[in-house]
Amino acid sequence: MALQRRTKIVLGVFLLLLAALIASVAIKVPYVILRPGPAPDTLGSLDGKRILQVSGTKTYPTTGSLRFTTVSMYGGPGNRPSALEYAFALTDSHAEIYKESDLFAPETTREQVEQQNAAEMTGSQSAAEVVAARKAGFTVPETIEIAAVSEKAAAKKLLRTKDVITSVNGVAVKDSPTLQREMKKVKPGEKVKLGITRVGKPMTLEVPTQEVDGRAVMGVALNPKASLPFTVKLAVGDVGGPSAGLMFTLAIYDTVTPGPLTGGKHIAGTGTMNSVGEVGPIGGVKEKVVGAREEGATAFLAPADNCAELKGNVPDGLSVYRVATIDEAVKAVEGIAKNDTKGLARCG
């Protein structure tokens, strides 16, 4: 009898534990878990396909690696992790946990997240092509079209979407760097003599500016349309987001310029890239340095604005270099290639 009672107790405990396990898998929690993801080599292949292909201009052999880094994300709209996955993440030193509401706006759908990631990846590739071509010495003319005018802009009644900007204060605007350079000369609150073409008709407008972060802005979103001197194809699978922009730029630049940029070194990195060559911050940088090291990288390029996050979080055997522009990034890679990194700024 005693044996039967003990058997029933053990069976009851087992069933309770089984029920708890099933419940922990079935229950979904509003958290997002980030872990180190793969770090594909932009100079190599992914799923049997060359990641980077350039045609329409002379290309040059490369060596070493220029890896773009990723983060594996568990959770988010329409894909919440289970309570069990959340519990495991609490014990994982390489996992970061966020509330879903910290990363996504209310009512955001999974489809919207995927669409945004795809759009950001496309944008990062386009900017990389333009910046790499210019850095390599090619002329890349652009048409600077107004994509949207802010409802709060003082120029709302003057400017329209599809207007094409042709000059700023008498200086012809042929590309984004020229536009940015001329706008930096304008004091916040001053009016700008803006040359535009509207439905094929040229005109000049006196456009008021406002101050944002100490700069004069017109309150417009721009859609630069570049005429590239060669064709670039990037095959990155289902990876999305803008954070590979820097490494795409370096890979394209390396491919269309003589000599291997890396000198055979294994370099990884992350950072957004805009059309004027500025490297922007990204999310998940602590996971990305871990993923880079696991793939064999010994050097890592990090956006200047992410440096603070890496203090005390750089894996052994990895040197992290701070970059804010494509010029700084190329200089860093050249220094790493030559084992001459004395003057390079570092993170971590």
Side-chain angles (χ1 to χ4, degrees):
M1 294 294 291
L3 180 60
Q4 287 181 336
R5 192 179 303 114
R6 284 198 296 272
T7 301
K8 289 181 179 179
I9 291 172
V10 171
L11 181 59
V13 170
F14 173 75
L15 291 174
L16 284 172
L17 290 174
L18 181 60
L21 179 61
I22 293 172
S24 69
V25 173
I27 296 172
K28 303 299 182 180
V29 294
Y31 290 94
V32 176
I33 303 164
L34 302 183
R35 289 190 174 93
D41 179 15
T42 56
L43 303 177
S45 300
L46 181 65
D47 298 329
K49 295 181 180 179
R50 293 288 301 177
I51 290 179
L52 171 64
Q53 296 182 58
V54 178
S55 58
T57 191
K58 186 174 182 180
T59 59
Y60 301 86
T62 60
T63 61
S65 57
L66 288 168
R67 296 183 177 274
F68 71 91
T69 47
T70 65
V71 171
S72 294
M73 184 177 75
Y74 301 84
N79 190 35
R80 288 179 171 177
S82 68
L84 184 61
E85 289 173 317
Y86 173 75
F88 279 134
L90 291 172
T91 65
D92 185 348
S93 62
H94 291 319
E96 276 198 287
I97 303 172
Y98 297 87
K99 291 181 180 179
E100 185 179 294
S101 58
D102 290 340
L103 301 182
F104 300 98
E107 310 303 324
T108 301
T109 66
R110 190 71 186 170
E111 291 73 20
Q112 288 172 329
V113 173
E114 292 172 353
Q115 289 170 1
Q116 180 177 346
N117 285 340
E120 288 176 340
M121 173 58 78
T122 299
S124 74
Q125 293 178 7
S126 297
E129 295 166 10
V130 171
V131 173
R134 287 184 177 140
K135 179 66 178 173
F138 292 90
T139 298
V140 185
E142 283 181 290
T143 299
I144 312 296
E145 186 179 89
I146 294 177
V149 183
S150 170
E151 289 293 325
K152 298 180 180 179
K156 184 179 182 302
K157 294 182 179 180
L158 290 173
L159 300 175
R160 301 177 188 174
T161 58
K162 302 295 184 181
D163 285 349
V164 175
I165 297 175
T166 57
S167 66
V168 172
N169 289 335
V171 178
V173 172
K174 296 182 179 180
D175 52 39
S176 297
T178 304
L179 176 60
Q180 186 184 67
R181 183 183 67 241
E182 294 307 312
M183 285 302 298
K184 282 182 177 178
K185 298 176 183 178
V186 180
K187 294 179 180 178
E190 285 185 346
K191 288 187 176 181
V192 173
K193 278 189 177 181
L194 194 69
I196 66 168
T197 299
R198 178 175 295 166
V199 196
K201 181 181 178 181
M203 59 182 71
T204 301
L205 304 174
E206 293 276 344
V207 179
T209 64
Q210 298 162 279
E211 182 177 352
V212 174
D213 297 329
R215 299 178 296 112
V217 300
M218 293 181 286
V220 298
L222 301 176
N223 179 28
K225 297 180 179 180
S227 299
L228 284 166
F230 49 77
T231 300
V232 176
K233 290 184 179 179
L234 285 159
V236 295
D238 60 358
V239 177
S243 65
L246 169 62
M247 302 313 289
F248 289 159
T249 307
L250 290 171
I252 297 167
Y253 173 78
D254 189 11
T255 302
V256 300
T257 54
L261 183 64
T262 70
K265 299 294 194 304
H266 298 289
I267 302 169
T270 189
T272 64
M273 177 62 61
N274 66 20
S275 61
V276 295
E278 296 170 331
V279 179
I282 49 79
V285 70
K286 289 187 282 188
E287 288 73 39
K288 288 180 177 181
V289 291
V290 172
R293 189 68 189 108
E294 288 176 348
E295 293 282 5
T298 55
F300 190 95
L301 306 182
D305 289 341
N306 285 121
C307 260
E309 298 174 62
L310 290 173
K311 189 173 183 180
N313 292 300
V314 176
D316 292 339
L318 187 71
S319 298
V320 181
Y321 300 92
R322 172 190 182 279
V323 296
T325 65
I326 186 58
D327 291 341
E328 291 180 2
V330 170
K331 181 180 178 181
V333 175
E334 291 174 340
I336 295 164
K338 297 174 184 176
N339 295 314
D340 182 13
T341 59
K342 191 178 298 182
L344 300 179
R346 300 203 183 201
C347 303

